[in-house]
Structures are given as structure tokens and as C-alpha cells.
Amino acid sequence: MKFNAKDLALLARRPSGYFDKEGKLKICRVVGDEKLIEPRERWCRLKGNLLFLMKNKSSEVSEVVILERCWVVEFRSKTDVSIVLKFQSGEPDLYLEAASKPDCESWAVALGEANSEGLQNKIQQLRRLIMEIKEERSSDEARQFLPSSQVDSLGEPQFTSIQRIANEPKLEFSLACKDLVAATRDRKLNTFIQVSVVHPAEHILTRYSSTEIVEGTRDPLFLTGVTFPPEYPIYEETKIKLTVYDVKDKSQDTVRTSVLPDHKEPRADVGRSFLGCTTFRVGDLVKSKEQQLTLTLRTSDGGKTVGTIEVNLVKMGELEDGETDHITTDAQDQKCALVRECTATEGISGKDNLPSLNAVLKNPICKLYRFPTSDNKWMRIREQMAETTLSFHVPKELINLHIKEDMRRNQELKDLGELAPHWDNMRKSVIAHCDQMLSMYQDTLAELGKHTGSSFKSSCSKGEKTLEFIPINLHLQRMHVHSPRLKDALYDVITVGAPAAHFQGFKNGGLRKLLSKFEAERRNTGYQCIYYSPENTAKAKEVLSNINHLQPLISSHADLLLNSASQHSPDSLKNSLKMLSEKTELFVHAFKDQLVRSALLALYTARPGCVLKKPAVPRNSAEEGGDVQHQDHPSHIKRQDSIPHHSEYDEEEWDRVWANVGKSLNCVIAMVDRLLEKDNVSNSKEGEKDPSAADCKVLHAGGDWYEQLYPLVITLKDCMGEVVTRAKQSMAFVLLQELACGLPQCLMLTLRRDIVFSQALAGLVCGFIIKLHTGLHDQGFLQQLHTVGLLVQYEGLLSTYSEEAGMLEDMAVGISDLQKVMFKVIEAKSEDFLPIITGRREHYVIEVQLPAKMFELLPQEIKEGKLLRMYPVLFNVGINEQQTLAERFGDTTLQENINQENLELLKEYYKLFTEKMPPDCLPHFQEQNDLKGLLENLHQNIQAKKRKNVEIMWLAATICRKLNGVRFTCCKSAKDRTSMSVTLEQCSILRDEHQLHKDFFIRALDCMRRGQIVHDAESGFSPKGGGGSPPTVPVAARSKYLRKAPTQQQEVCNDHKLVVSIFPSLTTAFISEPGTLLAPSLCADSIAKHVLSCNAELLNL
């Protein structure tokens, strides 16, 4: 091109206010992924489509870049502050690096708007805004048409609310177009509708949602509808604007249309063309006789008619008239544009929207669909995804319990009394390490207490230490189906990232491998400590827990017994004695174990100066271990790697101390019986002679009862105290050995296990509460819940290669630990419905609170506090490209073993179910033979060891649903593979259970995946609710291995790039780093500000 160098140099030296933007940038040329030279700092000045590059602000211009036929690539990560200019001519890319992220974003917007294409888009957008403003009346003019009753004393208009069913969406409607006019006669239209809302109070246009793209027809009927949740501020006076676009470059449109934060407007459209638009009032639709509007689409200048659009009001409980024969089935190449979906600030719509459920679910995202059935009728589907407050509530409650438990354990170690130097040094070392871990738990709890913002942890925060106890992307995915001839149905899936210790890493594997290795090393600890098996250490913890629980109860019941005796109340005395007897029997039974005896021997030998070759004088203090009888024993333990034994040790001493509790209780029982018997005889005689004398006898007898029972009760307490002291010390000594044998690995493994268990438990509590609310009116399910327990099925999509193998090991242990969790349903005493967690490691009880009205619906067994068991099972099938490497060059034994072990657990649950439950408790469409066949089929598929056998996942999910279980789907971060699996499962359910038309399976899948991608992008890529910019297309192609997915895909993987051709409904994503797209994506902040300023100027005009 020709240019005048002198004029350009003069232009570059103009005053600063002349330029559109200027500042310092580091610049270099890039070929491919390699920079030709290191970036050099330059002073950059932008004027129009000319970018001047200068060494400094006062120097001569050294280079001029013409910003035409180029596009801007902005890297959307939190830390990247660079952008790249790419040129259609093929010349080297221009790399620009800013000083900060805001500066980078502002440069990206300025450069994107600098060329003529950006200017044309801005002009088109302003023209549309002018047309919209012309359509809007000013607030004063609008007030003339409002009834006087709608204007308050301050002159502000009062808007008419839409009357809808409680907890249901305020407004839902479907869309269809007819007789659309194309720009050229032979062109086939690929159209979608953009839905915007004009709020009556603010007169501001807000982009709300959009439909899917329907290809190759001028009469598109859209399967994706529009829904406004209950809390959305929409009134009869609200206006809805519908804009129809023709997508020219579908792949470019899909990639470039990103999900923007609420405060930003979308950037100018690139791969689409405007066809026409129309506007309607919500009140006109709601009050229309047929609840349908037929609107005319017009061009931006309001002159030319380009077709019509039909708006149909939707009610989920009503059938939609009309057949579906006219819908096009040519949807194999359909592509979906990505937009921001509708959200609500509180609650979740649906029939189960109750206060207790709203306490755990928040920020729902809603989608509405209509799909044809095989008999050409319509079914309606409402899809919802919600966050849960339990993501943070459960971990915080759990960490608080860990802190209390560890503080109690540390105190028990200190209370062991005097020990020999070797054991005393070991105790000091253990307590020092435990105090460090305790401090770490306390710091973590304090940091979580400061957390504000999002109620879930996004995937990009999975490596943060302060959030390591929080599950990743924990959400409820619900599908509500209304079919023409079938009963309405709800299908829930909990999606969550695999429970794993991401911050600690997987260099040495996960918990499954680490625990096995640690246990093997403990067996060879040498002379330092005594080896106790994991079963014995678990039993020691159980004994200590029983002591801490039962001792205060027995003491309390003993005091109540004495109080009843002082009041001379026979009935109260009987009841108090009954409770005291029951708790004391449990207390005595807790010590019927050889472990206590052997631990007492081990503790005795650990006392200082323990030389037992000559008889020793017993000491009076139980803390000093002086209650042991005269005996001989070697001065050292002969077998340091096992529990010590000695034939001369008087084990009967412990039996006598332990038996004294039972004998003391028998004495109390005998005395109470004798007192009651005398009282009955005395009352009958005295009552016949003189009533007043009988009253005096009662007062005197009351004193006698108390005086006679008091010494016996004190003896019982003393005997119990002696047993407690010895048992506590012996069990604490066992725990000392467990900790000392593996410092610091033991504590680190405990920490890792706590982290994984915390993530798993948060998901389980969420799933249980949702399942309980859904099944409150199902008596068969409630009977199954308290008779058998609840099946919880986890679908894992992790590979067995590299780090994901370690994640799978963590996940397997965490889910297995959920077997030790019990649930209890209680009546809520306040408006706080969040669950309460009690217990200790390896034994937790979750108390779920229900309002009084809901609590009354439960069976008597559950209302009386029966503990409800959980049966968690995990089936994993790796489906991504890493699993291909594992199957060809690695090892899949881990996955095979996990699937086989959990198959046995599933069979065990089914056996219990068939033994304890009547056949009629199965859902009406299920039969016992169906389950037997499915279990056998699952067994055969697991034994087949077939590569990427996704039939295992499908069978396990089907069995879970038939057994009223809770479904979980997990992958690394609960985004890509999880979303593809969930949407495939939903469409398969619609096909198999609700007669979805076979020709619409792929199109229905595309519609749902379009919505799912947006949901996941909004939830998974914005840390702590921030305004991060998510990629618009996930790496969802990995799910090509899912059941009945299309087969025309390819994968190319190397160290730097992954090119994935995914389902026909999606585009190709080019990824240089995980979660980073190389597609052009301009920041729209500047455009939004410019539009707002133009809006204000035009309003003034």
C-alpha cells in the first residue's frame, strides 16, 4: 500500500489527548507458538486503525501496524496479561504484553474495535438501540396509561405481579417462527432467537437467554423454551424483546459467544446477521384468550416484514395442543450458540421447593425444553442446576469435630501418668506432632469462616490449601419430565469433582496405595513401639468413645435415682432404675474384650522401674498403675511387634475391677426392690388405720430411701470411675503406639483421609436430603429407608493413568468410609434447617432437620430416631485419552478391582433388599427379575474387562434408580466428562422411559448439552463467584466413548496441544493449556460502557 511516511510521523507526535489509547506494552513477533525475539518494551499509540510503536514517548515512530483483516486473541486466565494479533495475510502474529490484567483487557477492547469491521458492528448496534429507544415511551408518558391505583403517593408506578403457583416459575413460554425471509433466495437459514428483557422501572434492555440453532429451514420450531424463576422481577408491564439471527459462520459464532458476567454486555456479533425483531408485553401473553401471541418480525428500521414469530405460554402440568409432524428432523449437523442462562437468587423452582430444601439449595439455573414423543405428542422438560450451601457447611462442622476429638486425644495421652523414659519421650514427640496438626485444622477452620461469595468451590480453586476440605463443583442436576400419557417424574443426579487431596498431590499415589504401604511398614517398626492391628486401634477408639458417651449418662441417671428416692416417688424410682440398668449394662459390655486386658499389661510394663521379679507393694493411686497385683515380669517386652503377653500377669485383677460395676448395680437393684416392697406393705396397713399417720410415714420413709440408696450409688460411681480410669489409660496407650509407629506419616495420612472424607460427606448429605424430600410421600421408599438403608451409587469417569489414578485411589477410600456414616431425621425446633453432625472419626451421625408438618409424614420408626444406614458403591470407567494410554501402555487393575469389590457390595444390598422388603415396594414399573438380570449383566461386563466398557456405568445407574438410590456422577472437576455423561443419561431416560422420538434423540442431546455447557462454564470457571471468563466449549469430546454417542470424532494429543473434534452438535476446540481457548474472544467492557453512554445521549435527544 502507498503511504506518506512524513505525515505518519507527524501524526504519531500529536498530543496525548488526540489518541484513542496509549501506553507501554512489551511487543514481539510470534510464529506458531515460538517468539522470534524476547518481548521489548514499546510506547504504543492507537488512533483509528493505526497502531504506532515507539521506543519511548518522545522518540520517533519505529513501526506502524494497520489493524485490518486481523483479529485479537485474549487469554482469559487470571494471571495472563498478554494478547495476540493474528493476521489473515499469514504474516507473523504480534504478541503484546500489558502490565496488568485490567490494562490487558482495555487494550484488547480498543484493538478489537479499531478496524472497520468493529466500527460497522458498533454502528449496527447503535442503530438497534435507537430503534429500541423509539419504541419506549418516557416514564412520564407511560404513567399516563397506568391506572391511578398503580401510582403510589410518591408518584412511582406500582407494577402488576404475575399470579402463578407457589414455588413454580413465574413465566414460561415456547417459541416458533414462520415464513422467515433470507437475504438471498437460495440460502438456507440457520436461526436462533435472542431473548431480552426491558424492565419497566429502569427502561434498560437486559440480555436474558436464547434458543438453540435450528438449521436449514425458514419455519424453525425451537425445542428450547424460556423460563423465569419464582424470584425473577417480572411483571405484566415488563416487555420481552425477541431478536432473530441467522448464523452464517456457525463454528465461529459458537466459539466466540462467551458467557459474560452479569455486569457486562455481549460484544458485537461477528458470525451472525440480524434478521428481525419484535416486542411484546408479558401481560398481553398472560391475558390472551388462547395464551398465544403471533407477532410480526421487522427489520431494524421497522419497515420491512421478515416473518412471524409465535409465543406460546407454557404450564408444566398441562398438555400442549397440536401434533409435531411439521418439525424438521434434519438436525444431524446442528450447532448450538452459547449464551448466559436465566438464574434466580433464592430457592429452586419445583414442587419440592420447601423451606428446609431452600436452606441447602441456592442459585438455580433453569432451562425449559419441549421434545416430541414417538406418538407425535409433546413432552415438556424443565432442567435445573443448583448450588448447595452444604459445600461449606459440612466441612466446617466436620473440621470442628476433628479439633474437639484431637484435643480430647491429646489430653488422654497427657493423662497416661508417669511412663518410663523411652515411652515418655515417645509421648512427648507424638503430642508435639499432634499439636501441629491441631493448629493446622484450627487455621483452616478460621479461613473457611472468613469465606464469602460463591457457595461452591470452582475447579480452578482445587489446589488451594485453605479450600482443600471443600468438594469441587458440588451441584444438583434435576430433570422434571411432564409426558402426555405418563406420570410426571423427577430425575436427580448430584455432580461433584472426585473427592481427592489435590493440594497434597499424587506423586506417591492416592490413599488406597499409601494406606497399604503404611500398614506394611508399621508391621516392621522394630523395638520402638508395640504393633496393634488397624482393627484393634479402631476398637480402642470405639471403647474411648463409649466411655465418653456412657459415663456422664450413668452418672446422670444415678443422680435421678437418688432424687426420686428423696421425693419418695415409686414410679419415678422405677423409671430411673430402668434407665440406669440399661446404660450400665451397655457400659459393662463395652469392656468385654481381650484388647483391654492386653493393653493394661503393655501399659504396666511401660511404667518406670517396672521390675517384677520380686513382689511389689501395690500403690493406691490408679493413675500410677498401682492397682496391679504382685507379679513377676521381664524388664523388657520380648515381642515388640505384637501385643505383649505374660503368663504371670494377673489378668483376673481387671476382671474383678470390671465385675465390681455389675455387682454394685445388682446391689442397687436389690435395695430398690426391697424398698418398694416394704413401701407397698406399709402403705396398705397404715392407710387402713390413720391417713395422717400414713403421711408422716411417707416423709420418714423418703429420708430412709435416700439414706439407704446413697452409699450404694456412691459405690457404683466409684467402681465405674476405677474402670474408666484404667480403660481410658490402656486405650490411650494403644493410640500412642499407633501414632508413634508412623510419625509423621500417620498424621499426614489421617489429614489426607479427613480431606477426602470431608468432600465425600458433603455430597452424601446433599444427596440424602434431596432424596428424602423427593420421597416423603412414597411409603415404600420410607419403609426401605429404615428397614434396609439407602443405596448411594457413584459413577466415576477417572482414568487410571498418571495423577488421575491417584485421584481414583483417594476417591475409592473416601466413598468406602461413607459406610461408617449414619443418618437420623429429627424435628426442627427453629428456622435453621441445616444438618447437625455428631460423632467421631469412623462413626458419624448426621441429624437432618425437617419442619413439623413434613416430620409427621415419616414412619414411626424414623420419628423415634432410628439410625439410617448408607450403602455407597463406586463404579469407575475411564473414558478420556489418558485412559487409552493406560489401557495400551499402563495398568487398569485398579479400576477392575474397584468395580469388582463394589459389585459384591451392590449384591449384598440387593440381598438385604429382597429379604427385608416386600415385592410390592419396588416402583410400579419394576420387577424382581429385571434387577436380577441387570445384576447378572453388570457382573458379566465387569468380568469381561473390555476397554472403556461404558455399559458398566449405564447398568449401575439403572440398578440404582430401580432401587430408589441416590446417583452421583464424578470426574476430575465435574465439568466436561460429567456434563456429557449427565446429558446423555437424561436423554436416554427420555427415550427409554418417556418415549422420546427416536429421530430427535441427537437434537435433544444437543439442546441439553448446549445448556449444560453454559451451566458448567458459569459454575466451574469463576473462582469464588468471581467474574472469570470461562471457555465457551469444554473438552467434552472425551465423552465420545459414552454409550451411544456419535462415532465421528478424532483425538490428537501431544505435550502442548490437544485438538478434539467433538459431537456433531459442537465445534472444534483448540487447547494449548487445560481450559484455555485460542479462539478470538474480545473483552466487552469498553463496548458496554460506550453503549450506555450512547443510550444516555440518545435519551437526551
Side-chain angles (χ1 to χ4, degrees), residues 902-962:
N902 285 272
L903 175 63
E904 299 304 319
L905 294 175
L906 183 58
K907 288 181 177 178
E908 178 185 342
Y909 179 84
Y910 174 70
K911 182 180 178 182
L912 287 173
F913 182 87
T914 54
E915 291 174 352
K916 296 184 178 182
M917 292 292 293
D920 57 357
C921 283
L922 279 170
H924 67 279
F925 55 89
Q926 316 295 352
E927 294 181 0
Q928 292 281 0
N929 292 334
D930 292 342
L931 284 169
K932 288 181 180 178
L934 288 169
L935 279 169
E936 182 59 31
N937 197 358
L938 178 61
H939 175 78
Q940 292 174 0
N941 276 276
I942 290 175
Q943 293 297 322
K945 298 181 180 180
K946 179 182 174 183
R947 289 184 177 180
K948 296 187 179 179
N949 189 0
V950 294
E951 195 70 19
I952 293 174
M953 298 188 301
W954 179 251
L955 289 167
T958 304
I959 293 171
C960 175
R961 285 194 298 271
K962 288 180 181 290

Side-chain angles (χ1 to χ4, degrees), residues 392-643:
F392 282 83
H393 173 76
V394 171
K396 287 193 288 188
E397 290 285 305
L398 206 56
I399 295 172
N400 193 37
L401 288 178
H402 292 332
I403 292 172
K404 293 178 180 178
E405 180 182 350
D406 291 349
M407 292 176 68
R408 188 166 54 246
R409 178 198 58 200
N410 290 359
Q411 188 59 46
E412 288 165 352
L413 292 176
K414 294 174 183 177
D415 292 342
L416 273 175
E418 191 177 0
L419 298 175
H422 167 72
W423 301 106
D424 192 47
N425 291 334
M426 179 184 294
R427 174 173 58 179
K428 290 178 180 177
S429 176
V430 168
I431 291 176
H433 280 85
C434 290
D435 285 341
Q436 291 179 4
M437 296 300 295
L438 183 60
S439 177
M440 190 278 295
Y441 280 99
Q442 291 170 337
D443 292 343
T444 300
L445 183 61
E447 289 298 323
L448 290 179
K450 300 175 184 177
H451 177 82
T452 57
S454 174
S455 58
F456 68 95
K457 182 175 81 172
S458 61
S459 59
C460 50
S461 302
K462 60 176 172 281
E464 293 187 19
K465 180 174 176 55
T466 56
L467 298 178
E468 58 185 344
F469 284 85
I470 311 301
I472 302 170
N473 278 336
L474 176 59
H475 289 86
L476 164 68
Q477 184 78 23
R478 167 168 289 183
M479 181 174 69
H480 177 197
V481 183
H482 174 73
S483 300
R485 294 185 176 88
L486 297 176
K487 186 178 179 180
D488 282 17
L490 285 178
Y491 299 94
D492 291 338
V493 178
I494 309 297
T495 59
V496 64
H502 291 276
F503 177 78
Q504 297 191 20
F506 309 95
K507 182 179 180 180
N508 298 315
L511 274 173
R512 192 177 172 105
K513 181 187 293 183
L514 293 173
L515 288 172
S516 176
K517 181 181 179 181
F518 174 73
E519 189 58 34
E521 291 176 350
R522 278 188 60 205
R523 295 177 182 272
N524 303 313
T525 51
Y527 67 90
Q528 289 91 351
C529 56
I530 304 169
Y531 172 76
Y532 288 93
S533 67
E535 293 77 14
N536 281 328
T537 55
K539 193 170 293 182
K541 294 175 184 177
E542 183 179 356
V543 170
L544 285 172
S545 177
N546 289 333
I547 291 173
N548 294 326
H549 175 66
L550 292 173
Q551 184 184 14
L553 287 179
I554 294 173
S555 180
S556 174
H557 289 307
D559 292 338
L560 289 175
L561 182 72
L562 290 176
N563 186 48
S564 300
S566 65
Q567 296 176 1
H568 197 273
S569 173
D571 293 336
S572 177
L573 193 68
K574 289 178 183 178
N575 292 332
S576 299
L577 180 63
K578 180 182 178 182
M579 297 300 297
L580 178 64
S581 301
E582 290 177 356
K583 299 302 179 184
T584 306
E585 287 175 5
L586 291 174
F587 179 82
V588 172
H589 181 74
F591 302 107
K592 284 185 177 180
D593 197 281
Q594 179 65 28
L595 176 64
V596 181
R597 296 186 180 91
S598 61
L600 281 170
L601 168 60
L603 177 60
Y604 185 81
T605 60
R607 297 297 184 191
C610 180
V611 180
L612 302 177
K613 293 186 178 180
K614 295 180 180 180
V617 179
R619 302 174 185 175
N620 295 327
S621 174
E623 287 78 9
E624 294 176 1
D627 292 321
V628 183
Q629 298 294 312
H630 305 289
Q631 51 195 294
D632 293 336
H633 193 277
S635 60
H636 64 279
I637 298 173
K638 294 181 179 180
R639 294 182 59 199
Q640 297 292 347
D641 59 341
S642 62
I643 299 174

Side-chain angles (χ1 to χ4, degrees), residues 80-106:
D80 205 328
V81 293
S82 61
I83 53 180
V84 173
L85 278 175
K86 291 183 173 289
F87 299 90
Q88 294 182 7
S89 60
E91 63 181 290
D93 302 339
L94 186 63
Y95 173 89
L96 302 96
E97 183 178 320
S100 64
K101 189 64 178 176
D103 195 26
C104 176
E105 291 179 351
S106 64

Side-chain angles (χ1 to χ4, degrees), residues 187-250:
R187 172 167 171 74
K188 290 185 177 181
L189 295 176
N190 306 313
T191 53
F192 76 94
I193 299 177
Q194 179 76 55
V195 182
S196 303
V197 179
V198 181
H199 298 281
E202 301 172 352
H203 297 282
I204 295 176
L205 189 72
T206 303
R207 191 171 69 119
Y208 186 75
S209 68
S210 74
T211 67
E212 80 279 12
I213 298 175
V214 179
E215 298 185 4
T217 177
R218 301 191 180 191
D219 300 317
L221 192 149
F222 300 97
L223 303 184
T224 304
V226 182
T227 179
F228 292 87
E231 301 300 325
Y232 194 88
I234 188 170
Y235 309 95
E236 289 188 7
E237 293 79 13
T238 303
K239 286 189 176 183
I240 307 293
K241 180 184 177 183
L242 306 175
T243 307
V244 182
Y245 289 98
D246 175 24
V247 179
K248 297 178 179 179
D249 188 347
K250 297 175 285 298

Side-chain angles (χ1 to χ4, degrees), residues 25 48 128 158 168 215 234 259 373 379 452 593 644 819 1071:
L25 292 174
R128 291 196 296 271
Q158 298 296 303
E168 288 285 303
E215 298 185 4
I234 188 170
V259 182
T373 61
M379 75 167 93
T452 57
D593 197 281
Q819 298 178 39
I1071 299 165

